[in-house]
Amino acid sequence: MTTCAYVTFDDKDDHDDEREVVLAAWREEGIDGRAERWDDPAADWAAYDAVVVRSAWDYVSRRDEFLAWARRVEECTKLLNPASVLADNTDKTYLRRLDLPVVPTHWSAEGLPDWQEYVVKPAISAGARDTIRTTDRAEAAAHAAWLEASGRTPMVQPYLDMVESEGETSLLYFNRRFSHAVRRTPMLSPGKSGADHVRAQLRTPDPDQVELAEKVLAAIPQALLYARIDLVRLPDGTPVVIELELTEPYLFLRYEPQAPRNLARALRELL
């Protein structure tokens, strides 16, 4: 039987509610899946036909260590997604290189645009960590300056009111085939926390959203087991990329009955 590692972290509080769903779908596809911590020194990665990064959610504070691990794994077996993808995707400055419509972003504490409301966050982050939302331009600049002083690249973006009405749309692709899409709860709405990102509703994406998502995928040459493309609309209705999740995204597998099987079949195809 084919054996694959499901890469996670030291999840004492059992935050990963997709692990058992995925492992069950893998079994139905003839794949023996085993959960492994990415930083477990006893893990024998070469014993696996493939190593699949899933909930390595503690990588942010240990990014260099995580990427070094990914490169070592790739030397002895197939890593999905590949180490080069992980290296690029874990620093959101990739948005500067994406020659497609993205949320307007200012990359410095100096010369902030005159926006009604700001979102300021570090380019290397997850779960709204060290992220603020404010109408105060001076506060936004101060937070961006604090990020710069700590050696991080700030991202300053306008807060888009349409997120409250339409929401963020996440399109999920497995081996570049569309699986499903959800409308996500805004993470920075009053009363919401980073953990609320798992609240969503299944939705059918609009044709212009699908068109943009597939252009994003076409810009990435490497093999992709999974890709989550998060889109929002500008005030004029134009869809833009807010984030491209290729490292350890929540996949909203419980929202679409066929999604776990779609992921398992995609993995089988890439082995």
Side-chain angles (χ1 to χ4, degrees):
M1 177 178 285
T2 302
T3 304
C4 294
Y6 179 104
V7 177
T8 184
F9 73 119
D10 190 8
D11 191 8
K12 296 184 179 65
D13 296 322
D14 202 26
H15 289 106
D16 184 359
D17 66 356
E18 295 193 319
R19 181 178 59 201
E20 297 308 317
V21 173
V22 170
L23 295 179
W26 286 4
R27 284 193 295 271
E28 291 183 2
E29 197 63 32
I31 300 170
D32 179 21
R34 302 176 190 176
E36 295 271 22
R37 285 194 354 252
W38 70 269
D39 59 352
D40 184 353
D44 181 9
W45 304 109
Y48 291 103
D49 297 290
V51 172
V52 178
V53 179
R54 284 305 311 120
S55 53
W57 291 333
D58 62 344
Y59 84 86
V60 173
S61 61
R62 307 162 63 188
R63 179 172 177 262
D64 290 346
E65 181 184 351
F66 174 68
L67 295 179
W69 164 83
R71 289 188 289 269
R72 289 196 304 272
V73 170
E74 204 164 59
E75 290 176 355
C76 64
T77 190
K78 181 183 289 290
L79 178 67
L80 297 167
N81 286 334
S84 60
V85 170
L86 304 182
D88 187 67
N89 187 245
T90 50
D91 185 336
K92 295 183 182 63
T93 56
Y94 66 76
L95 289 173
R96 291 192 290 198
R97 302 186 296 275
L98 191 63
D99 190 22
L100 289 166
V102 302
V103 171
T105 305
H106 187 77
W107 300 92
S108 169
E110 301 294 330
L112 264 61
D114 186 15
W115 290 327
Q116 184 174 357
E117 194 165 7
Y118 301 85
V119 174
V120 187
K121 56 189 174 183
I124 299 174
S125 67
R129 185 178 305 173
D130 291 335
T131 297
I132 67 166
R133 172 186 169 187
T134 179
T135 58
D136 188 330
R137 187 169 183 268
E139 182 183 8
H143 190 71
W146 172 73
L147 291 172
E148 287 183 334
S150 64
R152 293 180 284 178
T153 300
M155 302 175 64
V156 184
Q157 299 173 329
Y159 186 80
L160 301 174
D161 290 337
M162 293 188 73
V163 170
E164 302 291 345
S165 56
E166 181 173 337
E168 293 185 25
T169 299
S170 294
L171 290 82
L172 285 301
Y173 289 82
F174 302 141
N175 195 16
R176 300 180 179 270
R177 283 195 305 274
F178 177 74
S179 172
H180 59 292
V182 297
R183 176 197 184 278
R184 298 170 55 205
T185 301
M187 293 178 66
L188 297 178
S189 295
K192 298 292 189 296
S193 69
D196 289 307
H197 77 289
V198 298
R199 298 181 182 177
Q201 294 177 328
L202 199 66
R203 75 182 307 172
T204 299
D206 295 327
D208 59 350
Q209 293 173 319
V210 173
E211 180 182 6
L212 176 56
E214 294 187 352
K215 286 180 179 178
V216 172
L217 289 178
I220 303 165
Q222 299 97 321
L224 295 175
L225 171 59
Y226 50 82
R228 195 184 90 196
I229 302 171
D230 297 342
L231 306 179
V232 294
R233 290 188 183 277
L234 297 180
D236 66 1
T238 302
V240 294
V241 178
I242 192 168
E243 196 161 353
L244 174 58
E245 293 272 14
L246 305 177
T247 302
E248 31 63 85
Y250 193 80
L251 298 176
F252 301 97
L253 297 177
R254 297 179 182 275
Y255 292 79
E256 166 54 56
Q258 294 301 313
R261 179 176 293 181
N262 293 343
L263 178 62
R265 289 179 175 174
L267 175 57
R268 169 61 70 186
E269 291 165 358
L270 290 171
L271 291 176

